[in-house]
Amino acid sequence: MRGTILSVMLLSALAFAVSALGAPADDKKDDGFTSLFNGKDFTGWKFKLPKADADPKETFQVQDGVLVITGKPNGYLYTDKSFRNYVFRYDWRYVKAPEGKKSSYNSGLLVHIQGPAKIWPKCVEIQGANAKHGVLFFLECKKIDSQYDEAAKDKAVRPVGEWNTTEAVLGADGSILARINGAKVSSGKSDLTEGPIGFQSEGAEIHLRNLKIKEMK
């Protein structure tokens, strides 16, 4: 009987210890982050499509808490707020390539969007294509520096259909750093330091979730 009681006490203590060890890690992971997507609708977001009368619902949808971008037509959605000096993190996955283009999985994260909405706007694009995820493109802005580790990208990106996590660190000085599943894949700098955040619709269906931002002082 005494042995049974001791075993129960030990198991309870072990369970408590595991719980205690796990909780701080989870809290630390999201410490200071807030969500930019509520999983229900597009509150806080705007749309830009090639035709003024185009229906955004054909391109941007919410399905079971996931932001689905169909890829057709080309365009983007973007935050109605501007951000500066922050960390932005999101999960993404491709489901299938466009018909007849088996290797074409394409989208992109747009940061520091400037000027009137157009396709494509002045900004820095952190490439969202599966094949070159994380490459920095400087659209109508000045590139000061840019480095890309394709080997790290190849090792980090998971197979199509599986979820990945990309984290972008945008410094107040225009610096940019991008990680995929925790691995650093690119860094650079532009003359842009702030602006809305957006995601491209560019030919392929992409799913997004857990869009979170941490603004730094």
Side-chain angles (χ1 to χ4, degrees):
M1 182 69 176
R2 184 178 179 183
T4 301
I5 294 174
L6 286 173
S7 296
V8 172
M9 291 176 66
L10 286 171
L11 287 172
S12 298
L14 179 60
F16 176 80
V18 171
S19 176
L21 287 172
D26 292 339
D27 291 343
K28 185 176 181 181
K29 181 179 179 181
D30 284 335
D31 183 32
F33 282 84
T34 58
S35 180
L36 287 184
F37 173 59
N38 63 22
K40 300 177 181 179
D41 55 38
F42 290 105
T43 299
W45 295 82
K46 298 178 180 179
F47 309 100
K48 177 58 183 177
L49 293 170
K51 295 182 179 180
D53 60 350
D55 185 359
K57 294 179 181 178
E58 297 295 322
T59 307
F60 308 104
Q61 304 165 5
V62 180
Q63 299 177 10
D64 298 323
V66 174
L67 196 169
V68 176
I69 301 177
T70 66
K72 297 179 181 180
N74 282 358
Y76 61 102
L77 80 166
Y78 59 105
T79 59
D80 58 12
K81 293 182 179 180
S82 180
F83 298 95
R84 173 187 176 90
N85 196 26
Y86 61 93
V87 180
F88 182 63
R89 180 192 299 151
Y90 66 100
D91 299 336
W92 59 276
R93 70 177 179 185
Y94 286 102
V95 180
K96 59 181 179 179
E99 187 175 349
K101 298 181 179 180
K102 294 183 179 181
S103 63
S104 180
Y105 299 89
N106 201 11
S107 181
L109 168 64
L110 309 180
V111 297
H112 302 331
I113 297 172
Q114 304 288 308
K118 64 177 183 176
I119 302 172
W120 301 108
K122 180 178 180 179
C123 66
V124 178
E125 177 187 348
I126 300 175
Q127 178 62 269
N130 209 56
K132 290 288 185 180
H133 198 99
V135 169
L136 302 181
F137 289 130
F138 301 83
L139 308 182
E140 298 184 19
C141 63
K142 182 180 179 180
K143 178 177 75 173
I144 299 173
D145 183 35
S146 182
Q147 300 177 29
Y148 183 59
D149 188 338
E150 188 166 9
K153 182 274 301 178
D154 289 341
K155 186 176 180 179
V157 173
R158 296 168 185 149
V160 171
E162 294 186 17
W163 285 102
N164 297 268
T165 299
T166 290
E167 182 175 89
V169 182
L170 291 304
D173 61 350
S175 61
I176 302 172
L177 183 150
R179 300 186 183 96
I180 306 173
N181 298 323
K184 177 183 174 181
V185 297
S186 67
S187 62
K189 190 173 183 179
S190 80
D191 60 339
L192 304 181
T193 59
E194 64 182 301
I197 299 168
F199 283 100
Q200 290 179 317
S201 168
E202 197 175 8
E205 182 176 320
I206 187 171
H207 295 181
L208 309 172
R209 69 180 185 186
N210 296 326
L211 280 60
K212 297 183 179 182
I213 190 168
K214 179 178 181 179
E215 297 183 79
M216 299 180 288
K217 295 181 180 180

